[in-house]
């Protein structure tokens, strides 16, 4: 939501993907509209390859190619590896890593053809440093960094940039219930990041000012990965 609002504020027409949270997506689109921006909704599950392809191909046929793509969906299944279950591993990898392929494979040809564009992939500090109890999550987020860097090399001659953003503790539902005092103990800046701070970095990477940045993974974690 924060990324969508930030991009709309700098003039992008925003397409909001959702899987189940239609009410929240619609509320964000309405907030963008009230501020004078343009937003529409696009429903599909990024872990469903056929469904994602059908929805995105229909979107392209109706509205034309995107200029940018922000890959921000993510799930976790925290717990020690020895206690993990097959379905937990599959759910995390199918969403976090397969989603990269499922969304970008239908979209990259049109980005390459128009010879301009931005792709921003949300990784995680867990993908940079690893984290106890997050083997599946760390694997998926580290995989995104490698995939993004390789795709950046493939698309550079088409003037399409591909970068990763790796947040640390950020005040979203994913860390709800995590004690603030523990975050303060772990993070050099002694607090969680705000979604708007991450969104500002995403918006910058989508801007003309970031045209010479590609293949990078930029940490925004309060110094956690230093």
């Amino acid at each position: 939501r924060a990324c969508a609002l930030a991009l709309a504020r700098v003039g992008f027409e925003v397409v909001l993907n959702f899987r189940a949270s239609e009410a929240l997506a619609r509320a964000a689109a309405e907030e963008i509209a009230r501020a004078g921006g343009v937003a529409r909704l696009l429903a599909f599950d990024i872990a469903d390859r056929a469904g994602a392809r059908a929805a995105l191909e229909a979107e392209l046929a109706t509205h034309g190619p995107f200029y940018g793509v922000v890959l921000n969906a993510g799930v976790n299944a925290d717990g020690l590896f020895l206690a993990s279950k097959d379905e937990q591993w599959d759910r995390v990898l199918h969403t976090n890593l397969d989603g990269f392929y499922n969304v970008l494979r239908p979209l990259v040809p049109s980005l390459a053809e128009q010879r301009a564009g931005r792709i921003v992939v949300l990784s995680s500090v867990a993908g940079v440093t690893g984290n106890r109890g997050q083997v599946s999550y760390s694997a998926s987020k580290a995989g995104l960094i490698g995939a993004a860097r390789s795709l950046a090399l493939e698309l550079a001659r088409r003037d399409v940039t591909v970068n990763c953003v790796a947040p640390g503790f950020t005040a979203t539902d994913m860390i709800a219930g995590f004690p603030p005092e523990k975050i303060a103990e772990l993070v050099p800046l002694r607090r969680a990041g705000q979604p708007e701070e991450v969104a500002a970095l995403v918006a910058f990477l989508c801007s003309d000012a970031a045209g010479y940045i590609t293949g990078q993974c930029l940490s925004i974690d309060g110094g956690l990965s230093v």
Side-chain angles (χ1 to χ4, degrees), residues 78-96:
D78 292 352
L80 293 179
F81 184 73
L82 287 174
S84 62
K85 301 183 184 306
D86 293 352
E87 57 269 23
Q88 293 173 321
W89 176 273
D90 290 342
R91 183 172 71 91
V92 172
L93 271 292
H94 287 332
T95 299
N96 299 1

Side-chain angles (χ1 to χ4, degrees), residues 8-162:
R9 277 195 292 269
V10 296
F12 285 104
E13 181 176 334
V14 178
V15 180
L16 284 162
N17 166 248
F18 68 94
R19 179 179 63 87
S21 302
E22 181 176 0
L24 293 175
R26 193 168 299 282
E30 290 169 356
E31 185 173 351
I32 288 170
R34 287 194 300 271
V38 178
R40 60 180 181 273
L41 304 185
L42 184 60
F44 64 88
D45 181 354
I46 69 166
D48 175 2
R49 182 166 299 161
R53 183 181 296 274
L56 289 166
E57 288 180 347
E59 171 73 17
L60 291 173
T62 302
H63 296 284
F66 290 89
Y67 175 74
V69 184
V70 178
L71 293 171
N72 189 40
V75 298
N76 62 343
D78 292 352
L80 293 179
F81 184 73
L82 287 174
S84 62
K85 301 183 184 306
D86 293 352
E87 57 269 23
Q88 293 173 321
W89 176 273
D90 290 342
R91 183 172 71 91
V92 172
L93 271 292
H94 287 332
T95 299
N96 299 1
L97 188 54
D98 289 352
F100 176 97
Y101 180 87
N102 297 345
V103 170
L104 290 180
R105 184 61 186 86
L107 297 181
V108 162
S110 59
L111 287 169
E113 185 176 349
Q114 70 187 5
R115 305 187 74 87
R118 301 281 188 266
I119 297 170
V120 181
V121 181
L122 273 290
S123 180
S124 168
V125 64
V128 176
T129 66
N131 193 29
R132 184 177 184 273
Q134 288 193 315
V135 173
S136 59
Y137 186 73
S138 297
S140 68
K141 292 299 188 175
L144 288 174
I145 296 171
R149 284 176 166 160
S150 297
L151 186 59
L153 294 175
E154 293 186 13
L155 294 179
R157 292 189 178 182
R158 301 285 183 165
D159 290 325
V160 178
T161 67
V162 188

